[in-house]
Amino acid sequence: VEFYAPWCPACKSFQEVWQEFADWASISNTVNVAQVNILNAPELNGRFLVFSLPSIFHVRDGVYRYYDMSRNLEELQDFVVGQHHDKFQPIPAYMAPDSFMMAVVGHFFALAAKVRNFQNLLTNTYGLPYWFAYI
């Protein structure tokens, strides 16, 4: 699973590689590949605790691992085919996206997005000064 943002320069440069990887995975039927736009899914972003972009997670059988190897097609393919994901430490159970604690964190991320949207409504639509949204 890749987490990205449309405004992120690193995400834009990685997009072609990720698409090639997704095409390869689809043809070879080795792994399911997904993308998450963090602007459209703030709760999921919070559950995975994404702080850098693009972020890649390997998810298999309820075990979550953060991918921090090279971002080229060959490395991604080798990671899957070579079963290198077993060499990576799984995310601890209490920090896993399906844990209770991370569900709470996800709700806070979603709430923060709603507050941001409300502030944008007040400032951009109604023309109120930014400081007004904090009252």
Side-chain angles (χ1 to χ4, degrees), residues 7-18:
W7 49 261
C8 169
C11 299
K12 289 178 183 178
S13 66
F14 181 62
Q15 179 60 35
E16 185 178 329
V17 172
W18 189 255

Side-chain angles (χ1 to χ4, degrees), residues 58-106:
H58 178 265
V59 182
R60 183 176 183 185
D61 299 328
V63 178
Y64 303 87
R65 291 179 172 88
Y66 180 75
Y67 176 86
D68 63 355
M69 294 173 60
S70 177
R71 304 290 172 98
N72 64 55
L73 181 61
E74 294 77 25
E75 288 286 335
L76 289 166
Q77 290 170 334
D78 188 47
F79 181 78
V80 173
V81 174
Q83 301 288 319
H84 294 300
H85 53 82
D86 290 335
K87 297 175 184 173
F88 283 75
Q89 189 73 6
I91 295 174
Y94 71 93
M95 293 279 293
D98 59 353
S99 70
F100 174 76
M101 184 175 91
M102 296 314 292
V104 172
V105 171

